């Protein structure tokens, strides 16, 4: 570590002779050329950044503790979680063909894994991803023109959606 006697430049002698209490960034006697943010012209910290760095506490974070509110929030969230778990448990207990559920779930995971492999292989072929992107943009344009641009198309899309919803829920 260099001492004040071995320093050759006058500005460095001035810095080394300063007491440690005056070396903080807030109340510094350093020349403006030696300020930490004067070295880079491309990086400027936000206006409030220096204030938060200089302060010992962060005034942005205000902590307010209320035991009653916390207990009330926790009890509400715990009751919701209990209701969800109890409904899932009741549904699981009501199922008769549990191995079939595991088979379907495993098949779905396997299908997702295989499809990701196929998509990665297709993505590595040159120009194919750009072509598929053009196909997708063309389909999007056709969909907007057919179903969203005119009122008759929007009405048709709404009725198709309602029919599909009825088929899924079993009302039809």
């Amino acid at each position: 570590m260099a001492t004040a006697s071995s320093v050759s430049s006058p500005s460095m002698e001035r810095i080394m002779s300063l007491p440690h209490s005056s070396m903080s960034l807030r109340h510094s006697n350093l020349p403006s050329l030696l300020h930490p943010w004067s070295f880079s012209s491309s990086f400027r910290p936000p206006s409030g950044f220096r204030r938060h760095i200089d302060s010992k506490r962060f005034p942005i974070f205000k902590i307010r503790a209320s035991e009653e509110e916390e207990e009330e929030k926790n009890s509400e969230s715990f009751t919701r979680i209990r209701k969800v778990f109890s409904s899932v448990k009741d549904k699981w207990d009501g199922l008769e063909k549990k191995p079939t559920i595991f088979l379907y779930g495993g098949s779905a995971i396997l299908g997702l894994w295989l499809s990701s492999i196929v998509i990665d292989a297709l993505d590595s072929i040159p120009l194919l991803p750009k072509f598929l992107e053009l196909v997708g943009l063309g389909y999007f344009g056709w969909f907007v023109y057919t179903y969203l641009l005119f009122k008759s198309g929007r009405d048709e899309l709404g009725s198709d959606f309602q029919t599909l919803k009825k088929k899924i829920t079993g009302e039809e």
Side-chain angles (χ1 to χ4, degrees):
M1 182 171 153
T3 62
S5 62
S6 65
V7 176
S8 61
S9 106
S11 63
M12 288 304 286
E13 286 179 18
R14 181 174 173 219
I15 292 169
M16 296 304 287
S17 65
L18 290 174
H20 290 293
S21 63
S22 66
M23 292 292 286
S24 70
L25 290 177
R26 182 181 247 177
H27 303 289
S28 176
N29 295 329
L30 298 175
S32 63
L33 291 175
L34 296 176
H35 197 272
W37 290 297
S38 65
F39 289 116
S40 171
S41 62
S42 62
F43 172 74
R44 287 304 225 187
S47 60
F49 184 74
R50 243 177 80 192
R51 179 173 49 95
H52 294 301
I53 293 291
D54 293 340
S55 69
K56 301 246 187 290
R57 288 183 258 145
F58 291 98
I60 294 174
F61 303 113
K62 294 182 180 178
I63 299 172
R64 199 174 357 153
S66 173
E67 187 175 326
E68 294 173 3
E69 290 177 7
E70 291 297 321
E71 286 179 7
E72 185 177 310
K73 287 179 184 177
N74 287 339
S75 65
E76 288 176 10
S77 62
F78 284 135
T79 55
R80 287 180 186 165
I81 291 171
R82 284 187 204 120
K83 285 180 183 178
V84 168
F85 277 120
S86 65
S87 66
V88 167
K89 186 177 183 272
D90 292 340
K91 296 242 185 209
W92 181 253
D93 291 337
L95 291 175
E96 295 176 9
K97 300 179 181 179
K98 292 178 184 173
T100 307
I101 300 296
F102 285 119
L103 183 65
Y104 285 151
S107 299
I109 291 171
L110 182 67
L112 286 172
W113 179 65
L114 287 175
S115 65
S116 70
I117 291 173
V118 169
I119 289 172
D120 286 341
L122 288 176
D123 198 31
S124 66
I125 298 172
L127 297 178
L128 187 62
K130 294 296 179 187
F131 174 72
L132 292 176
E133 187 175 335
L134 284 174
V135 168
L137 284 172
Y139 180 76
F140 176 73
W142 172 84
F143 182 83
V144 167
Y145 179 76
T146 305
Y147 290 112
L148 302 178
L149 201 56
F150 304 110
K151 182 169 178 24
S152 61
R154 290 190 298 267
D155 292 339
E156 182 184 347
L157 181 64
S159 65
D160 289 346
F161 181 74
Q162 292 299 329
T163 304
L164 180 64
K165 190 167 78 170
K166 287 180 183 177
K167 283 182 183 178
I168 290 173
T169 58
E171 295 176 10
E172 190 175 290

